[in-house]
PDB file of all heavy atoms in Angstrom:
ATOM      1  N   GLY U 831     -40.639  -7.432 -21.225  1.00 94.00           N
ATOM      2  CA  GLY U 831     -41.565  -6.372 -20.868  1.00 94.00           C
ATOM      3  C   GLY U 831     -42.041  -6.426 -19.435  1.00 94.00           C
ATOM      4  O   GLY U 831     -43.052  -5.799 -19.082  1.00 94.00           O
ATOM      5  N   MET U 832     -41.338  -7.186 -18.585  1.00 93.00           N
ATOM      6  CA  MET U 832     -41.701  -7.224 -17.166  1.00 93.00           C
ATOM      7  C   MET U 832     -40.433  -7.167 -16.319  1.00 93.00           C
ATOM      8  O   MET U 832     -39.364  -7.571 -16.782  1.00 93.00           O
ATOM      9  CB  MET U 832     -42.519  -8.480 -16.839  1.00 93.00           C
ATOM     10  CG  MET U 832     -41.749  -9.788 -16.877  1.00 93.00           C
ATOM     11  SD  MET U 832     -42.722 -11.208 -16.271  1.00 93.00           S
ATOM     12  CE  MET U 832     -43.885 -11.408 -17.615  1.00 93.00           C
ATOM     13  N   PRO U 833     -40.515  -6.643 -15.100  1.00 93.00           N
ATOM     14  CA  PRO U 833     -39.328  -6.604 -14.238  1.00 93.00           C
ATOM     15  C   PRO U 833     -38.732  -7.996 -14.071  1.00 93.00           C
ATOM     16  O   PRO U 833     -39.462  -8.995 -14.007  1.00 93.00           O
ATOM     17  CB  PRO U 833     -39.859  -6.060 -12.916  1.00 93.00           C
ATOM     18  CG  PRO U 833     -41.107  -5.328 -13.274  1.00 93.00           C
ATOM     19  CD  PRO U 833     -41.702  -6.066 -14.432  1.00 93.00           C
ATOM     20  N   PHE U 834     -37.412  -8.057 -13.991  1.00 93.00           N
ATOM     21  CA  PHE U 834     -36.740  -9.354 -13.905  1.00 93.00           C
ATOM     22  C   PHE U 834     -37.183 -10.145 -12.677  1.00 93.00           C
ATOM     23  O   PHE U 834     -37.321 -11.370 -12.736  1.00 93.00           O
ATOM     24  CB  PHE U 834     -35.219  -9.161 -13.877  1.00 93.00           C
ATOM     25  CG  PHE U 834     -34.461 -10.444 -13.719  1.00 93.00           C
ATOM     26  CD1 PHE U 834     -34.366 -11.340 -14.766  1.00 93.00           C
ATOM     27  CD2 PHE U 834     -33.857 -10.775 -12.508  1.00 93.00           C
ATOM     28  CE1 PHE U 834     -33.682 -12.548 -14.622  1.00 93.00           C
ATOM     29  CE2 PHE U 834     -33.173 -11.966 -12.343  1.00 93.00           C
ATOM     30  CZ  PHE U 834     -33.079 -12.852 -13.409  1.00 93.00           C
ATOM     31  N   ALA U 835     -37.404  -9.466 -11.542  1.00 92.00           N
ATOM     32  CA  ALA U 835     -37.829 -10.170 -10.332  1.00 92.00           C
ATOM     33  C   ALA U 835     -39.142 -10.902 -10.568  1.00 92.00           C
ATOM     34  O   ALA U 835     -39.315 -12.056 -10.146  1.00 92.00           O
ATOM     35  CB  ALA U 835     -37.960  -9.187  -9.167  1.00 92.00           C
ATOM     36  N   ARG U 836     -40.094 -10.238 -11.242  1.00 94.00           N
ATOM     37  CA  ARG U 836     -41.383 -10.872 -11.523  1.00 94.00           C
ATOM     38  C   ARG U 836     -41.236 -12.005 -12.539  1.00 94.00           C
ATOM     39  O   ARG U 836     -41.839 -13.071 -12.407  1.00 94.00           O
ATOM     40  CB  ARG U 836     -42.377  -9.844 -12.053  1.00 94.00           C
ATOM     41  CG  ARG U 836     -43.805 -10.390 -12.162  1.00 94.00           C
ATOM     42  CD  ARG U 836     -44.696  -9.479 -12.993  1.00 94.00           C
ATOM     43  NE  ARG U 836     -44.613  -8.091 -12.559  1.00 94.00           N
ATOM     44  CZ  ARG U 836     -45.045  -7.066 -13.287  1.00 94.00           C
ATOM     45  NH1 ARG U 836     -45.580  -7.291 -14.485  1.00 94.00           N
ATOM     46  NH2 ARG U 836     -44.941  -5.834 -12.833  1.00 94.00           N
ATOM     47  N   TYR U 837     -40.396 -11.777 -13.547  1.00 94.00           N
ATOM     48  CA  TYR U 837     -40.164 -12.813 -14.568  1.00 94.00           C
ATOM     49  C   TYR U 837     -39.570 -14.074 -13.940  1.00 94.00           C
ATOM     50  O   TYR U 837     -40.018 -15.192 -14.221  1.00 94.00           O
ATOM     51  CB  TYR U 837     -39.228 -12.267 -15.645  1.00 94.00           C
ATOM     52  CG  TYR U 837     -38.866 -13.287 -16.700  1.00 94.00           C
ATOM     53  CD1 TYR U 837     -39.709 -13.524 -17.782  1.00 94.00           C
ATOM     54  CD2 TYR U 837     -37.678 -14.010 -16.614  1.00 94.00           C
ATOM     55  CE1 TYR U 837     -39.381 -14.466 -18.751  1.00 94.00           C
ATOM     56  CE2 TYR U 837     -37.342 -14.947 -17.570  1.00 94.00           C
ATOM     57  CZ  TYR U 837     -38.192 -15.179 -18.638  1.00 94.00           C
ATOM     58  OH  TYR U 837     -37.860 -16.110 -19.586  1.00 94.00           O
ATOM     59  N   ALA U 838     -38.555 -13.917 -13.068  1.00 93.00           N
ATOM     60  CA  ALA U 838     -37.908 -15.066 -12.437  1.00 93.00           C
ATOM     61  C   ALA U 838     -38.903 -15.823 -11.560  1.00 93.00           C
ATOM     62  O   ALA U 838     -38.898 -17.059 -11.515  1.00 93.00           O
ATOM     63  CB  ALA U 838     -36.712 -14.607 -11.614  1.00 93.00           C
ATOM     64  N   LYS U 839     -39.766 -15.105 -10.868  1.00 94.00           N
ATOM     65  CA  LYS U 839     -40.748 -15.754  -9.995  1.00 94.00           C
ATOM     66  C   LYS U 839     -41.753 -16.556 -10.818  1.00 94.00           C
ATOM     67  O   LYS U 839     -42.029 -17.730 -10.504  1.00 94.00           O
ATOM     68  CB  LYS U 839     -41.473 -14.703  -9.152  1.00 94.00           C
ATOM     69  CG  LYS U 839     -42.575 -15.285  -8.260  1.00 94.00           C
ATOM     70  CD  LYS U 839     -43.152 -14.224  -7.343  1.00 94.00           C
ATOM     71  CE  LYS U 839     -44.360 -14.759  -6.568  1.00 94.00           C
ATOM     72  NZ  LYS U 839     -44.043 -15.997  -5.819  1.00 94.00           N
ATOM     73  N   GLN U 840     -42.309 -15.951 -11.882  1.00 93.00           N
ATOM     74  CA  GLN U 840     -43.342 -16.620 -12.672  1.00 93.00           C
ATOM     75  C   GLN U 840     -42.787 -17.767 -13.508  1.00 93.00           C
ATOM     76  O   GLN U 840     -43.408 -18.827 -13.618  1.00 93.00           O
ATOM     77  CB  GLN U 840     -44.033 -15.605 -13.579  1.00 93.00           C
ATOM     78  CG  GLN U 840     -44.863 -14.567 -12.839  1.00 93.00           C
ATOM     79  CD  GLN U 840     -45.556 -13.598 -13.787  1.00 93.00           C
ATOM     80  OE1 GLN U 840     -45.510 -13.763 -15.014  1.00 93.00           O
ATOM     81  NE2 GLN U 840     -46.193 -12.581 -13.231  1.00 93.00           N
ATOM     82  N   MET U 841     -41.611 -17.554 -14.121  1.00 91.00           N
ATOM     83  CA  MET U 841     -41.097 -18.509 -15.089  1.00 91.00           C
ATOM     84  C   MET U 841     -40.166 -19.566 -14.490  1.00 91.00           C
ATOM     85  O   MET U 841     -39.873 -20.560 -15.146  1.00 91.00           O
ATOM     86  CB  MET U 841     -40.370 -17.765 -16.202  1.00 91.00           C
ATOM     87  CG  MET U 841     -41.235 -16.752 -16.936  1.00 91.00           C
ATOM     88  SD  MET U 841     -42.724 -17.513 -17.666  1.00 91.00           S
ATOM     89  CE  MET U 841     -41.969 -18.578 -18.905  1.00 91.00           C
ATOM     90  N   LEU U 842     -39.704 -19.348 -13.248  1.00 92.00           N
ATOM     91  CA  LEU U 842     -38.753 -20.299 -12.677  1.00 92.00           C
ATOM     92  C   LEU U 842     -39.164 -20.738 -11.271  1.00 92.00           C
ATOM     93  O   LEU U 842     -39.501 -21.902 -11.053  1.00 92.00           O
ATOM     94  CB  LEU U 842     -37.345 -19.684 -12.651  1.00 92.00           C
ATOM     95  CG  LEU U 842     -36.222 -20.583 -12.133  1.00 92.00           C
ATOM     96  CD1 LEU U 842     -36.079 -21.816 -13.012  1.00 92.00           C
ATOM     97  CD2 LEU U 842     -34.907 -19.817 -12.063  1.00 92.00           C
ATOM     98  N   PHE U 843     -39.171 -19.820 -10.325  1.00 92.00           N
ATOM     99  CA  PHE U 843     -39.364 -20.199  -8.928  1.00 92.00           C
ATOM    100  C   PHE U 843     -40.733 -20.838  -8.681  1.00 92.00           C
ATOM    101  O   PHE U 843     -40.834 -21.888  -8.035  1.00 92.00           O
ATOM    102  CB  PHE U 843     -39.173 -18.989  -8.008  1.00 92.00           C
ATOM    103  CG  PHE U 843     -37.827 -18.334  -8.140  1.00 92.00           C
ATOM    104  CD1 PHE U 843     -37.684 -16.949  -8.082  1.00 92.00           C
ATOM    105  CD2 PHE U 843     -36.682 -19.097  -8.343  1.00 92.00           C
ATOM    106  CE1 PHE U 843     -36.447 -16.345  -8.197  1.00 92.00           C
ATOM    107  CE2 PHE U 843     -35.429 -18.503  -8.469  1.00 92.00           C
ATOM    108  CZ  PHE U 843     -35.320 -17.118  -8.401  1.00 92.00           C
ATOM    109  N   ASP U 844     -41.805 -20.221  -9.182  1.00 93.00           N
ATOM    110  CA  ASP U 844     -43.145 -20.770  -8.960  1.00 93.00           C
ATOM    111  C   ASP U 844     -43.288 -22.152  -9.586  1.00 93.00           C
ATOM    112  O   ASP U 844     -43.916 -23.053  -9.011  1.00 93.00           O
ATOM    113  CB  ASP U 844     -44.212 -19.824  -9.517  1.00 93.00           C
ATOM    114  CG  ASP U 844     -44.411 -18.588  -8.654  1.00 93.00           C
ATOM    115  OD1 ASP U 844     -43.825 -18.534  -7.550  1.00 93.00           O
ATOM    116  OD2 ASP U 844     -45.130 -17.669  -9.088  1.00 93.00           O
ATOM    117  N   LYS U 845     -42.700 -22.334 -10.769  1.00 91.00           N
ATOM    118  CA  LYS U 845     -42.818 -23.626 -11.457  1.00 91.00           C
ATOM    119  C   LYS U 845     -42.068 -24.738 -10.730  1.00 91.00           C
ATOM    120  O   LYS U 845     -42.413 -25.919 -10.871  1.00 91.00           O
ATOM    121  CB  LYS U 845     -42.299 -23.496 -12.890  1.00 91.00           C
ATOM    122  CG  LYS U 845     -43.193 -22.618 -13.767  1.00 91.00           C
ATOM    123  CD  LYS U 845     -42.735 -22.621 -15.206  1.00 91.00           C
ATOM    124  CE  LYS U 845     -43.707 -21.813 -16.076  1.00 91.00           C
ATOM    125  NZ  LYS U 845     -43.335 -21.838 -17.511  1.00 91.00           N
ATOM    126  N   LEU U 846     -41.041 -24.363  -9.945  1.00 91.00           N
ATOM    127  CA  LEU U 846     -40.279 -25.365  -9.190  1.00 91.00           C
ATOM    128  C   LEU U 846     -40.793 -25.520  -7.769  1.00 91.00           C
ATOM    129  O   LEU U 846     -40.233 -26.286  -6.989  1.00 91.00           O
ATOM    130  CB  LEU U 846     -38.791 -24.969  -9.160  1.00 91.00           C
ATOM    131  CG  LEU U 846     -38.073 -24.914 -10.505  1.00 91.00           C
ATOM    132  CD1 LEU U 846     -36.629 -24.504 -10.314  1.00 91.00           C
ATOM    133  CD2 LEU U 846     -38.161 -26.258 -11.225  1.00 91.00           C
TER     134      LEU U 846
END
Side-chain angles (χ1 to χ4, degrees):
M832 71 172 72
F834 177 73
R836 189 194 310 164
Y837 177 84
K839 177 174 173 55
Q840 292 181 6
M841 302 303 294
L842 183 61
F843 302 142
D844 286 352
K845 292 186 176 183
L846 297 180

